[in-house]
Amino acid sequence: MIIIGEKINGSIPRTATAIAEKNEKYIRSLAKKQVAAKADFLDVCASVSPEKELETLKWLIDLVQSETDVPISLDSPNADIFKEAITYCKKPGIINSVSMEGDKIDQVFPVIANTGWKVVALLCDNSGIPQNAEQRITVFKEIMKKAESYKIDPSRIFVDPVVEMLCTSEDGIAKITETIKTVKELYPTIHVTSGASNISFNLPVRKFINRSFIILCMGAGMDSAIIDPTNEDMLGLIYAAEALLGRDEMCMDYINAFRDGLFGKPS
Amino acid sequence: MIIIGEKINGSIPRTATAIAEKNEKYIRSLAKKQVAAKADFLDVCASVSPEKELETLKWLIDLVQSETDVPISLDSPNADIFKEAITYCKKPGIINSVSMEGDKIDQVFPVIANTGWKVVALLCDNSGIPQNAEQRITVFKEIMKKAESYKIDPSRIFVDPVVEMLCTSEDGIAKITETIKTVKELYPTIHVTSGASNISFNLPVRKFINRSFIILCMGAGMDSAIIDPTNEDMLGLIYAAEALLGRDEMCMDYINAFRDGLFGKPS
């Protein structure tokens, strides 16, 4: 499982406060804790006004890189900032994200074409979020055409199927799991990722919805998640699912994660 | 999800003590708590020496039936006791279990043929636990031939795919999920059930393995589980998975379970 640590994000109130107050210690601690929890990438999202975004990102990225060499997931709704922002990063990470909306892809793909950068691709376009799996796959195929034209290998792409809230869904996450299966069938080396919290919007005890959601998506072929890796319950279930899905020989990753104190209490 | 409450089982040390001490209050409390947690059936297993089994079962069943009219899951490794034991039950429940081992089915199926009793059918036979999904399906088809000959409708059968410990498995639970999918394809009205703890034998922090296991099996089509329904974390994940799998319109079962205090804390 490829874990993208979500905590350095200005849309999280405590992180927003730390950004506003230039609280270096707090941002460093978020980086350190997520790395200790074996995050593969650290998402960095400023979530400030556009004119302050680049300088805020630079401040965040410099802080993170002074703590760790775990690569950055560069997170912004504004595709035009990535070209500059990747120059702040010491090593290639993930662009989070592009989609078929506007000219996002044509702005971003040329920039990362001959680099080691990976990219999260949301399955939506100018008409918004597709209503079903079939329409998501239509958008997906358009994205892959673009990727091919820029020679971006499928293994560098993290597909995000775009999850909407469960409480208004008529068939649960059927369209999401169907999308994941089809995407992995079409491109076995591609990655599939998702956040874990949109799904539970407006529902009580959101953690249960979030956790079951990630496990069911893993069962459909998802191999990455944008989560808080310091949440032991979520992380433990994910390591368990990896072993159950036959992706962890002799459960050694699960056992070692326990021994390293990532979840549970070593006896 | 059809929940079979597992707690009144003499193989659980605290329950064994209560049985040995004839602690009526404790057994009653196990029944009451599991009913409050919305168990659909209450498993009752004596786990004592064969000569004491029937009298112990009668004592347990009488106690349970004095507390609740939730039906009994009559649990014994000895097929020859069911004929007598079902006479202790005020209403039909589940026989737990038969398999293709010995003459178990030919002892049990005639007894329940023209009744409302349901039955758990383990996919194993005289040669033990099948090594793969294909062999499990072979055993399954033999069981269904027997069921047909006794006119036991598939909707009365709870298939248990027989789960072995994960730590020595080479491909995780692939053989289990494949078996579940095939069984449900062949007989859409059949039920599939399993306990949640064999899978995690010899592994640390077993709860994570147990919970991910149940959720992944639900994703494959399992619609019943033999669990402790008073465990809020397990129950919450199961209710969440039901909603995610599109089996809970507008999440009303999930929301009502929360409101009824089955998990989380109402605000």
Side-chain angles (χ1 to χ4, degrees):
Chain A
M1 195 72 168
I2 301 168
I3 304 281
I4 303 171
E6 71 180 6
K7 292 186 74 84
I8 306 177
N9 190 319
S11 67
I12 300 170
R14 261 192 86 179
T15 308
T17 305
I19 291 172
E21 294 172 350
K22 293 265 182 248
N23 185 340
E24 296 194 357
K25 199 176 150 196
Y26 186 73
I27 301 297
R28 281 180 203 275
S29 78
L30 291 183
K32 218 170 350 189
K33 281 180 196 164
Q34 292 182 100
V35 170
K38 297 271 185 353
D40 297 288
F41 295 90
L42 295 182
D43 198 69
V44 172
C45 180
S47 213
V48 293
S49 58
E51 66 276 14
K52 284 188 182 170
E53 186 173 13
L54 270 174
E55 67 181 273
T56 307
L57 276 175
K58 187 162 191 323
W59 178 73
L60 289 168
I61 291 166
D62 286 348
L63 280 174
V64 170
Q65 292 185 140
S66 69
E67 279 298 331
T68 175
D69 59 357
V70 168
I72 303 287
S73 162
L74 211 46
D75 189 347
S76 173
N78 307 310
D80 55 350
I81 69 105
F82 290 123
K83 189 176 178 178
E84 175 69 17
I86 66 172
T87 67
Y88 309 153
C89 299
K90 289 182 190 165
K91 54 157 67 168
I94 305 183
I95 298 289
N96 183 11
S97 61
V98 299
S99 70
M100 285 304 288
E101 201 192 338
D103 63 349
K104 283 188 171 198
I105 279 195
D106 289 308
Q107 281 196 67
V108 170
F109 277 11
V111 171
I112 65 166
N114 296 306
T115 71
W117 279 82
K118 301 172 198 297
V119 61
V120 174
L122 303 176
L123 301 188
C124 57
D125 60 15
N126 290 324
S127 42
I129 300 176
Q131 287 179 4
N132 52 39
E134 201 188 341
Q135 288 174 22
R136 279 176 168 77
I137 295 303
T138 303
V139 176
F140 172 64
K141 286 178 176 168
E142 288 167 13
I143 292 171
M144 295 315 287
K145 256 187 236 164
K146 290 279 188 186
E148 203 182 343
S149 74
Y150 288 106
K151 297 196 173 62
I152 294 170
D153 192 80
S155 66
R156 289 170 57 196
I157 297 174
F158 285 63
V159 172
D160 182 328
V162 188
V163 176
E164 297 168 285
M165 53 184 155
L166 179 66
C167 58
T168 54
S169 165
E170 275 178 20
D171 57 355
I173 56 167
K175 68 182 100 173
I176 300 300
T177 47
E178 199 185 323
T179 300
I180 295 170
K181 282 176 196 166
T182 308
V183 161
K184 292 291 280 188
E185 264 165 39
L186 293 171
Y187 295 90
T189 64
I190 214 164
H191 302 289
V192 177
T193 196
S194 174
S197 55
N198 281 359
I199 187 74
S200 60
F201 191 73
N202 261 346
L203 286 170
V205 214
R206 296 179 63 172
K207 64 182 181 181
F208 291 135
I209 304 282
N210 298 348
R211 291 173 196 167
S212 273
F213 169 72
I214 293 291
I215 303 310
L216 288 170
C217 288
M218 289 176 71
M222 191 169 83
D223 65 346
S224 171
I226 305 166
I227 56 153
D228 172 6
T230 69
N231 180 320
E232 291 193 18
D233 286 322
M234 174 67 98
L235 200 69
L237 289 172
I238 288 175
Y239 271 88
E242 286 281 274
L244 291 158
L245 290 165
R247 303 175 191 160
D248 176 6
E249 208 177 339
M250 305 304 282
C251 303
M252 285 317 295
D253 290 344
Y254 182 83
I255 293 167
N256 285 330
F258 163 70
R259 286 184 180 153
D260 291 347
L262 299 201
F263 52 77
K265 283 181 180 34
S267 55
Chain B
M1 195 74 169
I2 301 167
I3 304 280
I4 303 171
E6 71 180 6
K7 291 186 74 84
I8 305 175
N9 190 319
S11 68
I12 299 171
R14 263 192 85 179
T15 307
T17 305
I19 291 171
E21 294 172 351
K22 293 265 183 246
N23 184 341
E24 296 193 358
K25 198 176 152 196
Y26 186 73
I27 301 298
R28 281 180 202 274
S29 78
L30 291 182
K32 216 169 352 188
K33 281 180 195 164
Q34 292 182 102
V35 170
K38 299 269 188 345
D40 298 287
F41 295 89
L42 295 182
D43 198 70
V44 172
C45 181
S47 213
V48 293
S49 58
E51 67 276 14
K52 284 188 181 168
E53 187 173 11
L54 272 174
E55 68 180 272
T56 306
L57 277 175
K58 187 162 192 324
W59 178 74
L60 289 168
I61 290 166
D62 286 348
L63 279 174
V64 170
Q65 291 184 140
S66 70
E67 279 298 331
T68 176
D69 58 359
V70 168
I72 303 286
S73 162
L74 211 46
D75 189 347
S76 172
N78 307 311
D80 55 350
I81 69 107
F82 291 123
K83 189 175 178 177
E84 174 69 18
I86 67 173
T87 66
Y88 309 153
C89 299
K90 290 183 188 164
K91 53 157 70 167
I94 305 182
I95 298 289
N96 183 10
S97 59
V98 299
S99 69
M100 285 304 289
E101 202 191 340
D103 63 350
K104 284 188 169 196
I105 279 195
D106 288 308
Q107 281 197 67
V108 170
F109 277 10
V111 171
I112 65 166
N114 296 307
T115 72
W117 278 83
K118 301 171 198 296
V119 61
V120 174
L122 303 176
L123 301 188
C124 57
D125 59 14
N126 291 323
S127 41
I129 300 176
Q131 287 179 4
N132 52 39
E134 202 188 340
Q135 287 174 22
R136 279 176 168 78
I137 295 303
T138 303
V139 176
F140 172 63
K141 287 178 176 167
E142 287 167 14
I143 291 171
M144 295 314 288
K145 255 188 238 165
K146 290 279 188 185
E148 205 183 342
S149 75
Y150 288 105
K151 297 197 173 63
I152 294 171
D153 192 79
S155 66
R156 289 170 58 196
I157 297 174
F158 286 64
V159 172
D160 182 328
V162 188
V163 176
E164 296 167 286
M165 55 183 155
L166 179 65
C167 59
T168 53
S169 164
E170 274 177 19
D171 56 355
I173 56 166
K175 69 182 97 171
I176 299 300
T177 47
E178 199 186 323
T179 299
I180 294 171
K181 282 176 197 167
T182 307
V183 162
K184 291 291 279 189
E185 265 164 39
L186 293 172
Y187 294 91
T189 64
I190 212 164
H191 301 289
V192 178
T193 197
S194 173
S197 55
N198 281 359
I199 187 73
S200 60
F201 191 73
N202 260 347
L203 286 169
V205 213
R206 296 178 64 171
K207 63 182 183 181
F208 291 135
I209 304 282
N210 299 348
R211 292 173 194 167
S212 273
F213 169 73
I214 293 292
I215 303 308
L216 288 170
C217 287
M218 288 176 71
M222 190 169 83
D223 65 347
S224 171
I226 305 165
I227 56 154
D228 172 6
T230 69
N231 181 320
E232 291 194 16
D233 286 322
M234 175 66 99
L235 200 69
L237 289 172
I238 287 174
Y239 271 88
E242 286 281 275
L244 290 158
L245 291 165
R247 302 176 193 160
D248 175 8
E249 209 177 338
M250 305 303 284
C251 303
M252 285 318 295
D253 290 343
Y254 182 83
I255 292 167
N256 286 331
F258 163 70
R259 286 184 181 154
D260 291 346
L262 298 201
F263 51 77
K265 284 181 181 35
S267 53

